[in-house]
Amino acid sequence: GRDVQVVDPEVRAHVYSLVTALGGFNGEDASKYCLGDDALACLRDIKKWLRLYDDKTNRLDVARCLGESNLVNGDLLPIIASWRENNGHTKKHLTRIALACLELLVPLTWPVEIHSQMTVNHHRHTPYLQQSQVNYKRGILDKNSGLETLRAVIQIGLPSLALARSDRTNRDEGILKLMLYLFRNVAMISPPRGLAAEGDEEETSRSATINAFQDQDVFALILTICSNMGDDFSFQDVILIEILFHLVKGVDVQKLFMNDAQRSVKRKDELSDLLRKETGVKREYSKNAPTRHGRFGTMIWVKRDDAKVSTVSGQDVLKDGQVALNKMDQTKKWNRPRHGRRQEVEAASGDFNLTTNLTSTATKTLRTFVEEFLDTGFNPLFIHVRQAIEREAERVLDIHTLQFLYLISWFLQVERVRRSTRRKEHEKNKGTSREFEPDSFSIVAGVLNQETFVFLDRAMQYSFDNKEWQDLNANMRCFTQVLLTVQEMAASPLEEDQEIAENIQNRIFYEEITHDRILSMVRGYNEQGFGYLDSCTELLHVFVRMLENYSKENVDMQVRSKRRARRAAKTKESPKNKDIQNDEEMASEDEDRVDAIRVSRERTFDFKRFAARFCNQKSVDTFVKFTTYYRELDDEQLKRAHRFFYRVAFKQEMSILLMRIDILNLFYRMIKGPGALDNSKPIYRDWEELVKQLTRRVVKKLDQRSGIITEMLFSKISSTVYFLEYGHEKQTLSFG
Amino acid sequence: ATDSATPVLGLDADLKAKKQRVPTAKLDESRLLSQNGIPKLRKNAKTKLKFKGKGHEFSDLSRLLNFYQLWLDDLYPRAKFADGLAMIEKLGHTKRVQIMRKEWIDEDKITRGD
């Protein structure tokens, strides 16, 4: 009865007959799954179909047929369950069948994603398969029908797991891989965005996954493998990274460490915050809402120069000239065409910018797991993975770097929040509990060593050069968290920690290249999306603040700077240059020479000079873009933007950079509306004061130099900035 | 072979009267530098723009913004305020406008007697 054959009918017939022959629920006891006579052969045949038809010819037809015939939920899961319940592991034949089921489960749950090399068939089947994979996940996590699939899968892997690493055969390693990949797939599958969900979404949510992992001892298994990484396990490291990534991506660390009471308070706060916001919106509306009916038909003239008038209709405009002007603007229909960067098709599973909410049980479970993981498995796993990535081991894929970096940032944040909650708890019951013993930071030391910094550094440069923004985003977050952790270490009561922190800071701040790169990442914002904006502004904020403190404490701070002595070399070699005809040759030689004559030398670091360098139009523009999201930003983010502008305008005396009508317009809207910030918040006062001070300067400047009236329309040219700010030309001194 | 002449001459083909569309006005350098553009802004700023000063920051700021908005509305009525500003900012990067900008600043320097 199908109108369109999406799959070759013969293929469908073959696959269906195999699935039917596998077995079913139609023996004497209808609740019991009966294996067909040749079940193992059937399973192997299905696997062959998948491999030889789907993989070889690059289609997804067999996978689709298997989805339509309900193989996973109807056959594979019941077979695995009955194997576990009937002590199947004692029977060799049944164990083989269970393993064959697992061998099918893994490819069937393997995430199908939109990628660049899709064929017509892929496009046809992908939405269907995504939908059915969610169903598979529902079946795998389903506890109500008595299936404990995850536990059964562990049991399949257990004999291989128990062997010492040297005794394991390739087959054993393969089984371990299958087992872990299944967990990865389960963690990774999520309802596709943009497709209507079928059934209860709760059953396949992150919370459900976490709970099932806890109930069926998957977490225990992960902890065991992670803490023995390097000894008993080796090749499994990147799969574990993937599992962890898909479990924790987008989880709010702060919320993880609140107890129920705090969380409900927080939630109430959020609710009242939202309600307040809503009343704000309503109030603003009612302020300007018509007081009479919709056809009352008021019309006013706005008198303008040269005896011209504009007409605006509506009663609201009577009240206030500002409203009339706003309305004049809003009623224009034309929009400026925008040629933005086309949003790349981002694999939904790799996106860590989306926040995920967990239920309170799942939060508790995840928290326990994460704490245990930090205490035992963090260092061995992360050191091992870093080495694997550096060695470019065969199992390592591009995506792993991103996941690795994101996980570092996430776990470092966890560690910091855990410490602060502990400290707070201790302060609360000061009298009753025993003396507070500060922990050392050694449990995260695996990512705070020189090797990791070199790794971070290189990865950051690489993704920046190759324009891999999502990677760079993860990298920036990671670097931010490293900085924050080091800062906390420096404040630790343990002398050893302080010493290490001092050392690390020395290294981080010693390389001027790092300073330059952070600046260029902020300046390089060009439609990379909000996630990038958020990360790069946060990194700059944290970095500058710490660098400032550090250079204050270490007055004689030295940095290693790589300067080019290009000009000198050029004049020296110019006669030789003329002989070379081949452009390409010249270019490459040029590069070599530039490299060769880059000299590195040490010089005293001057924070003022550094700060002056990020006061330029480009970084101001980046922060302005960030600030345009002011209605969605939280207090911390608003503070970040405020501090930056404050520094530019008043500490560095470059308020001229902010004197642009579009920036002033944005600032004015933030304070006075429409759509202003919530004026009951403390951050509002900060902003109000900033805009006030800035306006004062603008007025003064307009008074002093009338030429600025035109310059307010444009980004300033660097040659005139100094004159506009100070009213005289820059005195150029020659430095020796 | 009888009707082979028609396609050549095109006599029977429907004549389509093409409507001459007035080309849409563009906000470009010459418009920006025309009498209605920046020269007017400079002239008006001297006479029309008065500030109250300390204590009236926000009303001053809104006065300034409105001044620009009305000017922009006269110059290029099609665009919304924010769009227009962005377009002008972009024009500011062109050579011609940059030269003019330098000149305006220099004029300012001279009148102040620097």
Side-chain angles (χ1 to χ4, degrees):
Chain A
R2 283 170 187 283
D3 299 323
V4 186
Q5 289 288 350
V6 287
V7 174
D8 185 357
E10 231 169 285
V11 173
R12 188 191 295 279
H14 272 291
V15 173
Y16 274 22
S17 71
L18 282 172
V19 175
T20 320
L22 187 58
F25 283 101
N26 45 8
E28 51 222 59
D29 181 2
S31 65
K32 196 165 160 254
Y33 189 91
C34 278
L35 278 176
D37 289 337
D38 249 339
L40 187 57
C42 287
L43 287 169
R44 286 188 176 154
D45 275 356
I46 297 175
K47 203 174 96 185
K48 267 184 207 151
W49 268 101
L50 270 177
R51 188 173 298 157
L52 297 180
Y53 191 80
D54 267 12
D55 288 0
K56 280 271 155 65
T57 58
N58 199 15
R59 307 159 177 255
L60 294 166
D61 290 359
V62 178
R64 168 132 194 187
C65 291
L66 293 174
E68 283 171 3
S69 62
N70 196 25
L71 173 79
V72 171
N73 291 330
D75 298 282
L76 299 183
L77 297 183
I79 293 174
I80 292 180
S82 71
W83 169 80
R84 197 181 74 84
E85 279 157 19
N86 304 324
N87 285 328
H89 55 276
T90 54
K91 293 162 200 151
K92 210 170 178 187
H93 176 64
L94 288 182
T95 306
R96 271 202 194 139
I97 290 181
L99 184 60
C101 288
L102 179 60
E103 278 177 75
L104 279 179
L105 269 183
V106 172
L108 286 176
T109 50
W110 202 274
V112 271
E113 295 203 313
I114 304 208
H115 51 85
S116 52
Q117 271 121 26
M118 306 242 298
T119 63
V120 180
N121 257 356
H122 284 123
H123 280 292
R124 192 177 280 153
H125 297 319
T126 298
Y128 184 88
L129 287 175
Q130 283 177 335
Q131 199 80 281
S132 48
Q133 285 188 340
V134 175
N135 273 333
Y136 299 163
K137 178 170 179 174
R138 181 172 298 133
I140 291 171
L141 295 181
D142 185 17
K143 252 191 340 197
N144 302 333
S145 48
L147 303 175
E148 286 204 304
T149 312
L150 298 175
R151 196 188 290 282
V153 169
I154 295 178
Q155 226 158 46
I156 295 174
L158 220 46
S160 313
L161 197 70
L163 292 173
R165 187 165 140 200
S166 53
D167 296 338
R168 269 183 229 138
T169 60
N170 278 347
R171 182 173 175 275
D172 289 318
E173 294 282 0
I175 293 174
L176 288 183
K177 225 190 217 171
L178 278 178
M179 172 178 80
L180 289 174
Y181 269 127
L182 183 74
F183 299 148
R184 199 269 323 240
N185 293 349
V186 169
M188 193 170 170
I189 293 171
S190 57
R193 269 189 282 178
L195 280 182
E198 253 176 30
D200 194 356
E201 272 186 77
E202 213 36 56
E203 289 172 9
T204 52
S205 65
R206 188 80 64 79
S207 306
T209 315
I210 288 170
N211 288 334
F213 273 27
Q214 173 68 20
D215 292 342
Q216 304 183 31
D217 294 331
V218 178
F219 278 151
L221 178 85
I222 293 176
L223 284 176
T224 314
I225 299 182
C226 288
S227 50
N228 289 308
M229 188 53 64
D231 306 333
D232 275 336
F233 304 97
S234 170
F235 304 120
Q236 293 79 4
D237 50 359
V238 289
I239 317 179
L240 286 164
I241 286 285
E242 286 192 43
I243 298 176
L244 288 171
F245 176 78
H246 291 298
L247 281 175
V248 304
K249 65 181 174 195
V251 173
D252 185 345
V253 175
Q254 299 286 349
K255 277 189 194 161
L256 201 61
F257 278 85
M258 292 173 186
N259 53 33
D260 274 343
Q262 284 170 316
R263 207 174 306 119
S264 69
V265 167
K266 165 104 177 155
R267 213 169 288 150
K268 264 182 220 151
D269 278 356
E270 281 174 352
L271 181 63
S272 54
D273 241 28
L274 281 176
L275 285 175
R276 193 140 25 99
K277 228 182 217 169
E278 199 187 341
T279 17
V281 171
K282 267 192 199 146
R283 200 177 40 225
E284 203 177 287
Y285 173 72
S286 60
K287 242 196 269 170
N288 299 324
T291 48
R292 293 178 184 269
H293 60 79
R295 295 187 182 182
F296 200 69
T298 319
M299 176 169 275
I300 64 152
W301 281 350
V302 178
K303 274 201 185 164
R304 307 178 48 173
D305 302 343
D306 317 328
K308 270 199 300 187
V309 288
S310 303
T311 49
V312 190
S313 70
Q315 308 145 46
D316 45 344
V317 297
L318 283 174
K319 210 165 22 192
D320 192 350
Q322 195 58 48
V323 177
L325 275 168
N326 284 343
K327 206 160 190 180
M328 265 172 65
D329 202 45
Q330 276 162 16
T331 45
K332 292 184 179 175
K333 290 208 181 66
W334 185 74
N335 285 317
R336 184 170 69 100
R338 264 161 235 266
H339 311 285
R341 175 193 305 268
R342 257 188 48 215
Q343 282 293 317
E344 291 154 45
V345 188
E346 199 68 68
S349 58
D351 194 358
F352 45 78
N353 292 317
L354 296 167
T355 48
T356 318
N357 285 317
L358 297 178
T359 62
S360 78
T361 20
T363 309
K364 237 179 268 166
T365 314
L366 186 63
R367 176 182 168 172
T368 324
F369 167 68
V370 161
E371 288 193 78
E372 280 174 25
F373 175 76
L374 270 173
D375 292 339
T376 60
F378 183 83
N379 279 335
L381 179 66
F382 277 70
I383 292 174
H384 204 263
V385 171
R386 197 203 67 235
Q387 287 168 346
I389 298 178
E390 277 174 349
R391 223 182 315 118
E392 294 179 359
E394 216 174 306
R395 61 180 183 278
V396 177
L397 305 173
D398 287 345
I399 184 87
H400 292 137
T401 314
L402 176 139
Q403 296 181 336
F404 176 65
L405 292 168
Y406 177 76
L407 284 175
I408 294 180
S409 81
W410 196 82
F411 278 107
L412 283 180
Q413 205 184 345
V414 167
E415 179 57 22
R416 284 192 305 113
V417 177
R418 173 160 81 154
R419 280 163 178 278
S420 72
T421 25
R422 255 197 223 147
R423 217 176 303 126
K424 265 180 221 149
E425 262 165 35
H426 172 75
E427 265 161 35
K428 227 195 273 168
N429 17 336
K430 217 169 201 167
T432 53
S433 71
R434 61 197 160 74
E435 197 52 34
F436 183 63
E437 279 176 36
D439 294 318
S440 86
F441 278 83
S442 59
I443 58 167
V444 289
V447 295
L448 294 177
N449 48 23
Q450 183 62 12
E451 288 91 338
T452 311
F453 294 141
V454 173
F455 176 86
L456 263 176
D457 215 49
R458 210 180 298 150
M460 205 187 284
Q461 188 66 44
Y462 181 83
S463 46
F464 183 67
D465 289 344
N466 290 291
K467 301 189 166 48
E468 280 159 16
W469 306 123
Q470 189 78 333
D471 287 17
L472 187 58
N473 189 352
N475 215 316
M476 291 191 288
R477 282 166 180 249
C478 182
F479 200 63
T480 310
Q481 290 302 327
V482 166
L483 287 173
L484 290 170
T485 312
V486 170
Q487 186 185 25
E488 215 154 281
M489 265 173 96
S492 152
L494 294 179
E495 217 161 274
E496 195 181 308
D497 276 346
Q498 287 175 21
E499 224 166 82
I500 295 172
E502 178 71 13
N503 239 322
I504 295 174
Q505 285 185 324
N506 267 336
R507 283 190 213 129
I508 291 179
F509 296 136
Y510 177 63
E511 293 286 349
E512 201 181 30
I513 282 196
T514 315
H515 309 184
D516 293 350
R517 194 185 305 125
I518 287 171
L519 279 180
S520 50
M521 283 187 308
V522 173
R523 295 205 308 227
Y525 172 76
N526 182 24
E527 315 269 337
Q528 282 105 336
F530 180 74
Y532 182 95
L533 260 184
D534 190 25
S535 315
C536 74
T537 49
E538 187 182 12
L539 177 56
L540 184 72
H541 178 74
V542 171
F543 189 79
V544 166
R545 223 186 41 205
M546 286 180 62
L547 187 57
E548 184 176 29
N549 288 337
Y550 187 79
S551 60
K552 257 185 219 154
E553 283 164 21
N554 303 273
V555 188
D556 52 346
M557 183 185 165
Q558 300 283 316
V559 292
R560 181 166 72 177
S561 66
K562 285 192 174 165
R563 317 248 106 214
R564 293 180 197 179
R566 191 198 260 158
R567 196 177 298 158
K570 214 173 219 166
T571 46
K572 220 184 280 172
E573 289 190 30
S574 55
K576 202 174 129 200
N577 261 353
K578 283 172 192 156
D579 301 340
I580 301 169
Q581 296 293 316
N582 195 333
D583 277 356
E584 217 170 302
E585 218 172 276
M586 207 160 85
S588 79
E589 205 164 281
D590 249 0
E591 245 166 62
D592 288 347
R593 205 170 52 231
V594 168
D595 272 347
I597 57 180
R598 255 178 214 261
V599 274
S600 63
R601 62 191 177 102
E602 291 199 355
R603 52 181 190 73
T604 47
F605 178 73
D606 181 7
F607 182 78
K608 260 200 195 137
R609 227 183 57 111
F610 174 76
R613 282 179 53 216
F614 72 73
C615 292
N616 59 50
Q617 201 69 59
K618 274 244 165 102
S619 28
V620 167
D621 282 348
T622 305
F623 270 86
V624 168
K625 283 263 170 55
F626 182 63
T627 315
T628 49
Y629 294 93
Y630 67 94
R631 290 216 262 183
E632 285 92 41
L633 298 184
D634 59 29
D635 288 1
E636 194 272 320
Q637 291 165 319
L638 283 169
K639 195 172 126 190
R640 190 191 303 161
H642 173 267
R643 295 295 183 272
F644 177 81
F645 290 128
Y646 183 82
R647 196 186 278 275
V648 170
F650 303 112
K651 278 198 190 163
Q652 296 300 131
E653 299 286 330
M654 291 301 258
S655 52
I656 194 78
L657 289 177
L658 302 182
M659 292 189 196
R660 225 169 60 192
I661 293 299
D662 56 336
I663 301 178
L664 293 175
N665 191 32
L666 170 70
F667 285 179
Y668 183 77
R669 302 263 167 267
M670 282 173 80
I671 306 300
K672 289 287 168 191
L677 287 172
D678 180 0
N679 60 10
S680 58
K681 277 190 182 168
I683 193 73
Y684 175 86
R685 301 263 155 255
D686 290 355
W687 273 96
E688 194 185 23
E689 194 54 36
L690 175 78
V691 179
K692 214 183 217 172
Q693 296 299 338
L694 186 62
T695 313
R696 242 178 241 174
R697 296 227 168 171
V698 172
V699 171
K700 212 165 110 196
K701 196 117 284 187
L702 277 167
D703 217 29
Q704 284 173 350
R705 275 186 279 292
S706 56
I708 204 125
I709 198 88
T710 53
E711 280 300 298
M712 293 242 276
L713 290 167
F714 308 109
S715 295
K716 316 294 177 282
I717 316 167
S718 55
S719 61
T720 56
V721 164
Y722 194 86
F723 169 73
L724 289 171
E725 182 70 45
Y726 298 104
H728 56 87
E729 300 293 346
K730 196 171 189 169
Q731 300 293 315
T732 40
L733 298 172
S734 56
F735 293 100
Chain B
T2 47
D3 50 6
S4 66
T6 28
V8 177
L9 291 172
L11 289 177
D12 279 355
D14 288 333
L15 277 176
K16 274 184 200 150
K18 253 198 181 168
K19 247 190 207 165
Q20 272 295 322
R21 286 190 72 172
V22 186
T24 41
K26 287 208 169 54
L27 183 52
D28 52 12
E29 296 161 40
S30 34
R31 198 179 184 86
L32 184 65
L33 299 176
S34 71
Q35 214 27 250
N36 237 349
I38 287 187
K40 186 175 156 197
L41 182 78
R42 280 157 57 81
K43 199 179 82 209
N44 281 358
K46 285 190 190 111
T47 52
K48 299 252 164 74
L49 210 52
K50 293 278 181 291
F51 295 112
K52 285 190 179 169
K54 213 168 174 182
H56 300 272
E57 282 82 5
F58 289 103
S59 62
D60 279 352
L61 184 53
S62 93
R63 198 162 297 134
L64 179 70
L65 291 171
N66 291 344
F67 171 74
Y68 275 97
Q69 190 184 332
L70 289 173
W71 166 75
L72 199 59
D73 189 62
D74 274 344
L75 177 66
Y76 194 67
R78 219 153 111 84
K80 296 190 179 101
F81 187 38
D83 286 349
L85 286 177
M87 291 160 85
I88 290 180
E89 202 282 323
K90 213 171 167 192
L91 287 176
H93 295 284
T94 59
K95 198 90 210 153
R96 202 174 140 202
V97 178
Q98 278 197 347
I99 293 170
M100 290 308 291
R101 281 167 67 184
K102 265 241 164 67
E103 252 174 54
W104 293 320
I105 293 177
D106 288 342
E107 260 176 55
D108 188 33
K109 278 185 208 170
I110 292 160
T111 53
R112 276 164 38 86
D114 283 350

